[in-house]
């Protein structure tokens, strides 16, 4: 207790000092100006991946805009549970925010965590990538129609697909597509993999027939002439991969889903800080640098402000719950 | 060709050259300091290289490890204390040479053959890795499953210690690898409701614990009464080297070849390469009776072998994503961090980055010559750094290093727990190398097993159905058969001795 | 410090049993015979096997139950050894409250002084090492070292 009082005292005097310092520089903004020290941006996925890259470009733009370091901190593992929980349990003071991903609408249905979209203060939706349908270069399917026909006519379990772990977003994409075709979710057998890259290696080596990860993740193997993208599960084509058709225009199946990424903070963040961040995020989203970076990697950009992001997540959460129950992936 | 020119541009950049220079000095220091290992140098470099571009990041690791493996020979020759485990095989021989008054020749041989052996390892890496990449693109989970088995086998096969304790260590490592989200159903295992445990046991923090913290525990008891040591003066190191090379050039080639192959075998690294090549040298020597009396022949073999193993270990790491030794086990993590995902595509996606790594490998071995000379000259001072200052500093670096691996105190907790556990194991004669290997390869083993069973629908024959998988499977099973035969033979011998 | 192989073997048997018991709570995955519990059970069996062999061997060899090294009996050396894990534990418990700089400085200073470094050396080295690590890791490498007490000053 003694240390607590001392800490509070010190912190208070420190704040006073800092405020005094800031006051000299900018009298009008002195009181409670945010941010006045470095901000942590927690990323639940590893350095070098798509989420990490997106978070880093956003952070660098926020840093330039708001004049304080925005440090990306990778808290990986546990299928995303570790990082998502670090964001949710941080002090809601605006100095710890993070990039949350589609898994927040899935993990609690699997019984991995109690966290759900409502455990956060949503700030902005920044990106969404649709799943693709990728086959090996030498696969005997000319296009998505031929593949769909083969899947439908052959017995269940003939084909094998991969892209992520059991119950991951790309697995659900496959299940959703199969169900939209009027088949059972396990008509194509799912081979769990440790991410999209090993799944693409399996595809090239002839270990699996289909990979349903996003096209940017499949890109290296496609460029190396080891794989072909047959379709994307999106409402419209991706301008970066304009030759890849959608399911709707080829099969007449109106199924689309996606792995989205957005910025959020712990629940109960002060409204003025959330507002400041949301405004800065909007400026970052509209920045040409952000748009150019995202399109160079083939990542889709989607904007949603705090309210839109919240309702987007609530809707996604419900849809994922239905899909996972139907596929037998929900637990508890 | 374009990629090669780009690679030159990437390497001969002031920042990159600066990083190489600093990490060379760092590697020399770590290697020459008994208790600090090349693996630990790599582990400590990970957080430091975290925010560097890929070329300086990998350059730092390549340079520091090459220097450290050589520098481990210095205290071996001067104090009979190997600076790194890779110098342990010939520390006695080397010290015996020094006692005979041949410190100059001893240091010269260690330096020059370390450089030459290192260059052989790099040459094989450059020549063979792209070829292997073409083969590796056809590797599916079946092939990887057998490779994981082979890697685990090598560790036990080549461990000198008690077989039961070697297996025990391996099983514990594999069990630690099952902590976290399981690869088949995505369910948490052994997490006891702790969110942090869902990420599994971080293996870099484990390695810092097992290699550094357990060493600090061993060292701490004598810090308060450490005495000073007297070291001989070093004169002209390069006199007489020509004669050694003319006489033992075949030993050099054989040592380098053995080193490269053992380095390339998943799981076995520079320390095992040094043991094996020393044993081979003695076995095939015309004067085996001279071994152990300060004879230079075995040193030529083994000091070439441990440095060539470094380059060799990168072959499976780059091409298969499988660690050739404990250093490349960390390097693979760094490659992923830098977006240079190991596998056949790393050569097609970013050839200039791979060429830059090769160039740094060559460069590091070349600057080892002058820098190693300087290090030997200044070894007297280095070996006198007071331990009562050094040990607490190392402890603080370990804490910060493992914290940086998980960005949370979980990494520090893992380091502490595994440090005490590793110390406990070594006190009981249980080797820790198999544990590390099990932890590194365990996830791959289980993941590919599950994938295979799903793909094959439970048909075990599918494990050997594909040609490469079949060959790997047969090789693995053969080695196991030999091991079991030898193991039962050994058990019989021990029983006879006991009776 | 080491225990008899027989004791070690019995400990391992107990450990393997505990692991096996824990695996019985893992969920099965519908339609898959080889679920999350398969590998841990194989490994538990392997560890139990090793434990059994060690126990038998230990009984045959009739070693002492517990062999203590010299340092365990010398209080000063015992403290030296225990201070290492103790320092890490102290770090884990106080660093979030105090922050990295005060914690690291205190730990280094205590260890230096216990290991008989002169205060005139220990003080500046502890301060220098702490600030260098903080500058390098927190500043240059952006590792989120806890800020603690100095939160608003840094």
């Amino acid at each position: 207790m003694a240390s607590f009082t001392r800490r509070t005292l010190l912190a208070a005097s420190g704040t006073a000092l800092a405020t005094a310092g800031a006051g000299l520089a900018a009298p009008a903004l002195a009181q409670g100006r945010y941010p006045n020290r470095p901000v942590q941006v927690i990323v639940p996925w590893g350095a070098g991946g798509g989420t990490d890259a997106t978070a880093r470009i956003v952070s660098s733009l926020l840093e330039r805009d708001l004049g304080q370091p925005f440090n990306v901190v990778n808290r990986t593992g546990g299928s995303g549970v570790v990082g998502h929980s670090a964001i949710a349990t941080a002090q809601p003071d605006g100095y710890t925010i993070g990039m949350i991903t589609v898994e927040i609408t899935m993990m609690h249905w699997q019984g991995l965590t109690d966290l759900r979209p409502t455990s956060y203060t949503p700030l902005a939706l920044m990106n969404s990538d649709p799943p693709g349908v990728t086959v090996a270069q030498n696969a005997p399917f000319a296009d998505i129609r031929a593949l769909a026909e083969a899947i439908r006519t052959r017995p269940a379990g003939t084909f094998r697909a991969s892209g992520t772990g059991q119950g991951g977003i790309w697995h659900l994409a496959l299940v959703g597509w199969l169900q939209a075709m009027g088949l059972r979710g396990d008509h194509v057998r799912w081979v769990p993999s440790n991410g999209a890259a090993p799944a693409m290696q399996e595809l090239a080596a002839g270990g699996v027939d289909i990979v349903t990860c996003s096209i940017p993740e499949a890109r290296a193997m496609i460029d190396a002439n080891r794989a072909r993208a047959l379709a994307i599960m999106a409402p419209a084509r991706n301008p970066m991969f304009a030759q890849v058709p959608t399911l709707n225009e080829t099969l007449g199946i109106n199924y689309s889903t996606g792995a989205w990424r957005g910025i959020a903070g712990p629940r109960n963040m002060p409204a003025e800080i959330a507002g400041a961040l949301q405004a800065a995020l909007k400026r970052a989203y509209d920045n040409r640098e952000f748009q150019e970076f995202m399109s160079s990697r083939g990542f889709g950009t989607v904007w949603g402000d705090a309210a839109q992001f919240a309702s987007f997540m609530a809707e996604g959460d419900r849809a994922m719950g239905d899909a996972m129950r139907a596929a037998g992936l929900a637990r508890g | 060709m374009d990629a090669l020119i780009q690679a030159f541009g990437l390497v001969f950049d002031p920042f990159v050259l600066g990083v190489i220079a600093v990490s060379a000095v760092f590697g020399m220091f770590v290697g020459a300091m008994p208790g600090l290992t090349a693996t630990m140098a790599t582990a400590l470099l990970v957080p430091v290289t975290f925010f560097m571009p890929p070329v300086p990041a990998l350059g730092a690791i390549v340079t520091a490890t090459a220097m450290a493996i050589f520098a481990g020979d210095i205290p071996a020759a001067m104090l009979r204390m190997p600076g790194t485990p890779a110098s342990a095989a010939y520390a006695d021989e080397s010290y015996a040479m020094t006692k005979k008054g041949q410190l100059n020749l001893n240091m010269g041989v260690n330096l020059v053959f370390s450089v030459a052996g290192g260059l052989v390892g790099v040459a094989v890496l450059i020549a063979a890795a792209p070829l292997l990449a073409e083969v590796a693109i056809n590797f599916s989970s079946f092939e990887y499953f057998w490779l994981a088995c082979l890697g685990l086998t090598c560790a036990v096969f080549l461990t000198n210690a008690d077989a039961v304790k070697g297996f025990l260590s391996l099983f514990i490592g594999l069990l630690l690898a099952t902590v976290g989200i399981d690869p088949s159903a995505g369910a948490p295992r052994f997490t006891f409701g702790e969110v942090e445990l869902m990420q599994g046991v971080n293996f870099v923090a484990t390695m810092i614990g097992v290699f550094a913290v357990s060493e600090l525990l061993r060292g701490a008891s004598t810090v308060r009464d450490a005495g000073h040591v007297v070291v001989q003066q070093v004169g002209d190191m390069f006199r007489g080297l020509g004669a050694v090379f003319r006489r033992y050039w075949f030993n050099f080639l054989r040592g380098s070849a053995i080193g490269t192959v053992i380095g390339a075998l998943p799981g076995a690294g520079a320390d095992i390469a040094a043991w094996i090549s020393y044993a081979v040298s003695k076995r095939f020597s015309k004067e085996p009776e001279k071994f152990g009396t300060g004879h230079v022949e075995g040193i030529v073999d083994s000091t070439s072998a441990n440095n060539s193993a470094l380059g060799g270990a990168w072959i499976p790491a780059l091409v298969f994503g499988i660690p050739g030794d404990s250093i490349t086990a960390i390097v693979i993590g760094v490659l992923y961090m830098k977006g240079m995902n190991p596998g056949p595509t790393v050569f097609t996606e970013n050839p200039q980055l791979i060429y830059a790594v090769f160039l740094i490998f060559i460069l590091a071995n070349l600057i080892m010559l002058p820098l190693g000379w300087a290090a030997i000259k200044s070894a007297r001072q280095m070996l006198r750094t007071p331990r009562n200052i050094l040990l607490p500093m190392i402890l603080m670096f370990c804490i910060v290093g493992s914290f940086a691996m998980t960005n949370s105190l979980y990494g520090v907790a893992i380091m502490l727990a595994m440090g005490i556990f590793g110390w406990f194991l070594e006190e009981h004669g249980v080797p820790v190398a198999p544990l590390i290997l099990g932890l590194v390869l365990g996830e791959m083993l289980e993941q590919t097993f599950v994938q295979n069973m799903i793909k094959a629908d439970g048909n075990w024959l599918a494990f050997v159905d594909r040609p490469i998988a079949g060959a790997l499977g047969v090789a693995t099973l053969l080695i196991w058969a030999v091991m079991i035969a030898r193991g039962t033979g050994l058990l019989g011998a021990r029983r006879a001795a006991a009776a | 410090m080491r225990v008899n192989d027989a004791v070690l073997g019995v400990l391992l048997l107990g450990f393997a049993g505990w692991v096996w018991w824990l695996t019985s709570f893992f969920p099965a995955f519908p339609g898959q015979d080889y679920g999350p519990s398969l590998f841990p059970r194989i490994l538990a069996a392997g560890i139990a096997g090793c434990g059994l062999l060690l126990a038998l061997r230990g009984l045959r060899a009739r070693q002492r139950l517990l062999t203590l090294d010299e340092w365990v009996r010398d209080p000063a050396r015992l403290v030296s050894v225990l201070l290492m894990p103790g320092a890490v534990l102290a770090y884990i418990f106080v660093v979030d409250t105090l922050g990295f700089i005060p914690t690291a400085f205190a730990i280094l200073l205590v260890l230096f002084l216990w290991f008989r470094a002169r205060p005139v050396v220990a003080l500046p080295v502890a301060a220098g090492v702490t600030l260098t690590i903080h500058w390098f890791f927190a500043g240059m490498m952006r590792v989120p070292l806890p800020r603690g007490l100095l939160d608003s000053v840094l």
Side-chain angles (χ1 to χ4, degrees):
Chain A
M1 218 50 219
S3 79
F4 179 73
T5 10
R6 201 166 65 232
R7 186 194 175 195
T8 329
L9 264 175
L10 264 171
S13 58
T15 316
L17 271 172
T19 323
L24 285 173
L29 291 170
Q31 196 58 42
R33 183 173 173 271
Y34 171 88
N36 56 24
R37 57 187 169 88
V39 178
Q40 274 191 32
V41 183
I42 293 177
V43 174
W45 305 98
T51 308
D52 180 67
T54 311
R56 279 179 201 277
I57 181 82
V58 171
S59 301
S60 72
L61 293 169
L62 288 178
E63 180 167 331
R64 221 181 304 154
D65 188 359
L66 298 175
Q68 282 288 344
F70 276 70
N71 297 328
V72 172
V73 174
N74 299 90
R75 295 288 303 274
T76 59
S79 299
V81 175
V82 173
H84 279 102
S85 130
I87 302 167
T89 56
Q91 286 291 322
D93 55 5
Y95 291 95
T96 309
I97 57 173
M99 181 153 264
I100 60 175
T101 59
V102 65
E103 281 73 14
I104 197 62
T105 62
M106 304 166 63
M107 298 183 303
H108 67 96
W109 296 112
Q110 276 177 287
L112 286 179
T113 174
D114 292 330
L115 299 171
R116 50 194 74 224
T118 49
S119 312
Y120 300 88
T121 304
L123 294 170
L125 176 66
M126 308 290 282
N127 142 274
S128 177
D129 287 315
V133 179
T134 308
V135 296
Q137 186 69 28
N138 56 8
F141 317 108
D143 55 21
I144 185 75
R145 279 188 208 91
L147 176 66
E149 194 49 38
I151 291 175
R152 195 174 291 138
T153 51
R154 301 278 193 79
T158 308
F159 290 100
R160 282 154 187 80
S162 189
T164 182
Q166 195 78 250
I169 177 68
W170 306 138
H171 183 193
L172 280 171
L174 173 79
V175 169
W177 175 39
L178 291 173
Q179 286 172 343
M181 280 174 30
L183 299 168
R184 280 172 53 92
D186 57 358
H187 192 82
V188 171
R189 201 177 284 260
W190 187 255
V191 180
S193 78
N194 202 356
M200 289 306 294
Q201 159 89 33
E202 275 292 317
L203 186 74
V208 295
D209 309 291
I210 306 162
V211 170
T212 49
C213 67
S214 71
I215 305 295
E217 289 172 306
R219 193 173 170 187
M221 282 290 184
I222 295 172
D223 291 347
N225 274 329
R226 304 278 184 179
R228 284 182 291 139
L230 298 184
I232 55 170
M233 306 187 199
R237 293 190 182 203
N238 180 340
M240 269 295 285
F241 312 101
Q243 75 287 1
V244 183
T246 65
L247 286 184
N248 196 17
E249 61 184 280
T250 48
L251 298 176
I253 292 175
N254 198 5
Y255 175 73
S256 67
T257 182
W260 52 260
R261 303 172 176 124
I263 301 281
R267 191 159 49 188
N268 299 330
M269 262 168 71
E272 65 274 30
I273 290 179
L277 275 170
Q278 190 196 308
L281 285 164
K282 177 67 177 154
R283 287 192 293 274
Y285 180 84
D286 290 334
N287 193 310
R288 229 187 47 200
E289 236 172 283
F290 174 76
Q291 294 291 338
E292 273 171 9
F293 172 83
M294 295 299 276
S295 75
S296 77
R297 297 272 309 241
F299 294 155
T301 52
V302 186
W303 173 256
D305 65 19
Q308 290 163 335
F309 189 18
S311 61
F312 171 83
M313 281 197 290
E315 199 179 309
D317 194 54
R318 232 182 347 264
M320 283 296 175
D322 292 342
M324 294 178 77
R325 264 193 301 272
L329 291 164
R331 223 179 269 139
Chain B
M1 205 54 213
D2 255 9
L4 193 59
I5 293 165
Q6 274 186 47
F8 267 99
L10 284 170
V11 173
F12 291 93
D13 162 280
F15 175 69
V16 176
L17 291 176
V19 167
I20 291 176
V22 172
S23 24
V25 174
F26 170 73
M28 281 290 177
F29 176 78
V30 166
M33 198 57 67
L36 303 189
T37 69
T39 310
M40 180 186 163
T42 318
L44 287 184
L45 274 175
V46 169
V48 180
T49 55
F50 202 88
F51 287 96
M52 292 181 189
V55 171
L58 293 167
I61 292 172
V62 164
T63 314
T65 51
M67 299 300 160
I69 294 292
F70 155 69
D73 299 344
I74 301 176
M78 294 185 177
L79 303 168
R80 205 182 166 208
M81 283 162 74
T84 68
S87 303
Y90 51 99
D92 277 356
E93 189 86 66
S94 180
Y95 188 64
M97 259 186 97
T98 305
K99 275 203 302 197
K100 277 173 29 182
Q102 296 178 335
L103 180 62
N104 290 344
L105 179 67
N106 187 2
M107 289 310 345
V109 165
N110 273 311
L111 177 55
V112 171
F113 285 99
S114 288
V115 170
L119 287 172
V120 171
V122 184
V124 176
L125 168 66
I126 294 173
L131 252 168
L132 279 169
E134 271 310 302
V135 180
I137 191 104
N138 294 312
F139 275 46
S140 74
S141 58
F142 292 109
E143 286 81 6
Y144 277 110
F145 172 79
W146 288 115
L147 275 180
C149 287
L150 210 53
L152 293 174
T153 311
C154 287
V156 179
F157 191 44
L158 295 172
T159 303
N160 275 340
D162 186 335
V164 177
K165 289 181 174 171
F167 270 111
L168 175 63
S169 175
L170 184 66
F171 289 145
I172 293 174
L174 287 168
L175 188 64
L176 285 172
T178 66
V179 175
I181 302 273
D182 97 284
S184 59
R189 293 188 295 197
F190 304 117
T191 55
F192 309 101
E194 270 298 314
V195 169
E196 293 280 4
L197 276 171
M198 288 175 90
Q199 64 189 282
V201 176
N202 182 288
F203 85 91
V204 175
T206 302
M207 270 194 296
I208 296 178
V210 164
F211 290 115
V213 174
S214 67
E215 191 62 44
L216 289 174
L217 288 176
R218 274 187 289 274
S221 69
T222 56
V223 176
R224 277 158 65 95
D225 38 37
H228 283 286
V229 285
V230 184
V231 182
Q232 275 184 53
Q233 198 65 45
V234 190
D236 180 4
M237 283 174 253
F238 301 108
R239 190 186 299 152
L241 275 186
V244 171
F245 189 80
R246 273 193 299 281
R247 180 138 184 224
Y248 296 118
W249 61 271
F250 182 70
N251 296 64
F252 155 66
L253 288 180
R254 185 178 59 196
S256 307
I258 290 176
T260 312
V261 170
I262 291 179
L265 280 179
D271 39 1
I272 292 162
W275 282 109
I276 300 265
S277 53
Y278 184 79
V280 168
S281 178
K282 186 174 177 182
R283 177 97 185 259
F284 293 98
S285 170
K286 290 192 198 83
E287 340 169 80
E289 72 283 355
K290 285 194 180 173
F291 277 70
T293 63
H295 188 47
V296 75
E297 188 176 354
I299 297 179
V300 172
D301 270 279
S302 41
T303 200
S304 311
N306 62 14
N307 276 82
S308 66
L310 280 182
W314 278 65
I315 297 175
L318 280 178
V319 180
F320 305 120
I322 296 179
D325 60 5
S326 50
I327 294 167
T328 43
I330 305 174
V331 167
I332 289 170
V334 176
L335 287 168
Y336 273 115
M337 251 184 242
K338 303 298 172 199
M340 292 169 67
N341 295 1
T345 48
V346 82
F347 294 93
T348 49
E349 270 177 46
N350 297 305
Q352 74 283 5
L353 295 181
I354 293 299
Y355 291 151
V357 171
F358 291 165
L359 280 177
I360 290 173
F361 245 119
I362 297 171
L363 198 65
N365 277 292
L366 292 180
I367 57 173
M368 191 194 292
L369 208 53
L371 209 69
W373 180 82
I376 293 166
K377 286 285 184 188
S378 57
R380 283 171 57 124
Q381 274 66 39
M382 283 176 70
L383 293 174
R384 265 197 297 186
T385 308
R387 288 172 74 220
N388 58 2
I389 297 293
L390 196 65
L391 261 58
M393 272 170 58
I394 293 170
L395 184 72
M396 197 45 70
F397 273 103
C398 291
I399 290 175
V400 176
S402 49
F403 178 87
M405 289 323 298
T406 60
N407 284 316
S408 65
L409 287 170
Y410 174 69
V412 183
I414 288 285
M415 174 199 81
L416 177 62
M418 296 313 285
I420 295 172
F421 187 57
W423 169 82
F424 175 84
L425 289 180
E426 293 218 311
E427 287 285 300
H428 290 84
V430 179
V432 290
L435 180 145
I436 293 293
L437 209 77
L439 182 57
V440 171
L441 292 178
E443 196 192 337
M444 181 200 276
L445 187 74
E446 186 176 9
Q447 175 102 48
T448 54
F449 176 79
V450 167
Q451 289 176 336
N452 294 349
M453 292 310 269
I454 291 176
K455 287 198 296 197
D457 223 349
N459 174 14
W460 287 86
L461 272 182
F463 276 74
V464 290
D465 210 22
R466 296 161 57 101
I468 304 177
L472 286 170
V474 169
T476 310
L477 294 175
L478 268 179
I479 292 176
W480 285 357
V482 171
M483 268 174 68
I484 291 166
R486 271 185 41 173
T488 47
L490 280 176
L491 282 178
R494 193 172 294 130
R495 211 165 287 132
Chain C
M1 185 185 73
R2 54 176 302 178
V3 296
N4 179 335
D5 272 0
V7 178
L8 186 65
V10 171
L11 284 177
L12 287 168
L13 281 172
F15 174 73
W18 179 63
V19 168
W20 191 286
W21 177 71
L22 284 175
T23 61
S24 61
F25 299 103
F26 293 167
F29 198 75
Q32 250 175 242
D33 311 332
Y34 16 85
S37 58
L38 177 69
F39 258 64
R41 284 189 178 170
I42 294 175
L43 295 168
I47 291 172
C50 290
L52 198 65
L53 283 174
L54 283 178
L56 290 176
R57 203 202 276 173
L59 285 176
R60 205 175 300 138
R62 291 211 183 81
Q63 296 156 315
R64 290 175 57 175
L65 272 186
L66 180 67
T67 319
L68 289 179
D69 295 328
E70 199 192 330
W71 59 264
V72 184
R73 283 187 215 113
D74 177 347
R77 289 189 178 195
L78 187 62
V79 171
S80 292
V81 174
L82 290 180
L83 261 183
M84 288 285 172
V88 181
L89 267 185
Y91 181 92
I92 291 175
F93 283 113
V94 305
V95 73
D96 273 335
T97 318
L98 293 183
F100 175 77
I101 293 181
T103 312
F105 176 74
I107 286 176
L108 284 173
L109 193 65
V110 168
L111 288 176
F112 285 157
L113 291 178
W114 172 258
F115 290 140
R116 291 184 176 159
R118 282 176 302 147
V120 69
V121 178
L123 271 167
V125 174
V129 170
T130 303
L131 291 176
T132 309
I133 291 180
H134 187 267
W135 165 76
F136 191 74
F137 285 90
M140 292 188 62
M141 302 291 130
R142 292 194 167 191
V143 173
L145 294 176
R147 299 156 63 88
L149 288 180
L150 303 170
D151 192 14
S152 41
V153 185
L154 288 174

